[in-house]
Amino acid sequence: MQHCVPRHAAMLESQYRALEDFILSARKLLVLTGAGLSTESGIPDYRSEGVGLYDRTKHRPIQHMEFMTDSQARRRYWARNYVGFPIFVSKVPNTAHKVLAQMERSNQVEWLVTQNVDRLHQKAGSSKVTELHGTTNIVACQKCNYVTDRESFQSYMQQCNREFTADIINVTPDADAEIDVELIKKFNTPLCPDCGSDLLKPQVVFFGANVVQEKVQHCYDKLHECDRLLVAGSSLQVMSGYRFLLEANRTQRPIAILNIGGTRADHLANVRVSARCGEFFERFQTRNL
């Protein structure tokens, strides 16, 4: 866990009290979570100082158009994902995931919107969840109607690559893994069992793509049903999440942000706590659940 969590100071009692009061004052609380919530489960993020992908390596996540138009990019993506997926799927919910699920059951969380694709909220027991950026757990052909779960797809790729092995050089976000680039040439890109296309893609919103409007509207609707917004573990650098902070501010809904380091929306927050998510939620659980 520690290798994925950036350096941080201990939370002050005054910070805890302010955020606790914010949550307990909500009639209906919407929670928006990001990668900083899952770093404590050992899943690295992109932007954290010192430990995020952008600080540790020159590799950048695949872009949507690159994946859709370049067969070699798809080979590279699936080779790396094939090696990284077993580690990714082995991760388990941490304290923050578990407490948020408890808060849902006790009606302290009305709805949860996550920018993460790891399904750890559902593994922890949350059911009122919108996966803003999709999930790695489903793979769909972009040419036909073929859909499968990611674990079955892993077995299928193994059948196509019985002799393929690669050591992991670096574990990166979202089931990706850095491996020897020469080995990628030996990887057989999986083809759709129904139509034969190699345009098989996880149901994830890649960088450069847009969240479908129906999902965005659903999140706006949930925000409008709630009276407060809590952000946990997100720097809000991408517009897909930041837009909901703008809307909360426009409609005069109080905002609280819990995140290690600064965020794009600090100027909008009524309560701002720079601390580890697990530290806050563990204390909140002890005192309120």
Side-chain angles (χ1 to χ4, degrees):
M1 181 267 282
Q2 293 299 327
H3 68 283
C4 296
V5 178
R7 295 179 61 181
H8 57 281
M11 180 174 51
L12 300 175
E13 178 64 20
S14 59
Q15 292 178 310
Y16 171 79
R17 289 290 188 184
L19 187 51
E20 180 187 51
D21 289 346
F22 178 92
I23 293 172
L24 296 178
S25 297
R27 293 188 302 275
K28 290 187 175 183
L29 181 67
L30 179 71
V31 180
L32 172 66
T33 67
L37 201 86
S38 291
T39 55
E40 294 179 53
S41 291
I43 298 176
D45 66 5
Y46 290 103
R47 296 180 176 86
S48 288
E49 183 178 355
V51 295
L53 174 72
Y54 296 160
D55 264 15
R56 291 188 293 115
T57 175
K58 293 181 179 179
H59 178 73
R60 294 297 178 262
I62 195 163
Q63 296 288 312
H64 177 78
M65 286 305 297
E66 180 187 14
F67 185 92
M68 296 299 294
T69 60
D70 186 344
S71 61
Q72 293 307 309
R74 291 192 287 275
R75 180 198 299 269
R76 182 178 72 249
Y77 175 84
W78 282 121
R80 293 170 60 107
N81 197 272
Y82 174 71
V83 175
F85 179 75
I87 295 175
F88 183 76
V89 78
S90 71
K91 302 303 181 183
V92 297
N94 60 54
T95 298
H97 295 109
K98 294 174 183 177
V99 175
L100 283 167
Q102 284 184 272
M103 291 171 67
E104 178 191 304
R105 291 192 292 272
S106 63
N107 297 316
Q108 290 176 306
V109 169
E110 177 66 18
W111 200 264
L112 192 151
V113 177
T114 184
Q115 299 172 97
N116 300 335
V117 299
D118 52 37
R119 289 249 161 123
L120 290 183
H121 284 299
Q122 290 91 331
K123 287 182 180 180
S126 291
S127 60
K128 299 163 72 174
V129 180
T130 298
E131 294 172 312
L132 189 63
H133 295 157
T135 176
T136 57
N137 286 48
I138 301 172
V139 177
C141 180
Q142 306 301 293
K143 290 289 188 180
C144 72
N145 295 322
Y146 176 77
V147 177
T148 188
D149 67 273
R150 183 62 183 80
E151 298 242 16
S152 297
F153 192 65
Q154 185 76 1
S155 297
Y156 175 55
M157 286 197 290
Q158 187 173 20
Q159 293 172 15
C160 300
N161 292 276
R162 294 187 183 277
E163 304 300 320
F164 184 84
T165 59
D167 293 329
I168 295 176
I169 299 171
N170 205 358
V171 175
T172 52
D174 300 340
D176 185 48
E178 185 179 353
I179 60 176
D180 187 334
V181 294
E182 292 300 314
L183 292 176
I184 293 174
K185 299 174 184 177
K186 301 178 181 179
F187 186 80
N188 295 316
T189 308
L191 303 179
C192 175
D194 285 358
C195 73
S197 170
D198 74 338
L199 270 170
L200 290 159
K201 178 182 174 295
Q203 285 192 345
V204 170
V205 179
F206 285 151
F207 283 79
N210 295 320
V211 179
V212 294
Q213 189 56 40
E214 292 81 4
K215 185 177 287 189
V216 173
Q217 187 57 54
H218 173 74
C219 294
Y220 277 135
D221 291 344
K222 290 300 179 183
L223 174 60
H224 295 154
E225 291 172 9
C226 296
D227 62 308
R228 293 187 172 220
L229 172 61
L230 167 64
V231 177
S234 177
S235 62
L236 301 164
Q237 291 301 312
V238 294
M239 191 65 189
S240 59
Y242 180 60
R243 73 179 96 199
F244 302 116
L245 279 290
L246 296 176
E247 180 65 7
N249 180 66
R250 186 188 72 81
T251 55
Q252 298 184 333
R253 285 167 166 79
I255 296 167
I257 299 176
L258 169 64
N259 186 65
I260 297 174
T263 81
R264 186 180 180 181
D266 283 354
H267 65 291
L268 302 177
N270 302 88
V271 176
R272 174 70 180 96
V273 176
S274 181
R276 185 170 55 82
C277 291
E279 181 182 7
F280 170 80
F281 283 111
E282 183 174 13
R283 196 181 304 185
F284 185 86
Q285 179 187 44
T286 300
R287 296 191 185 188
N288 298 284
L289 295 172

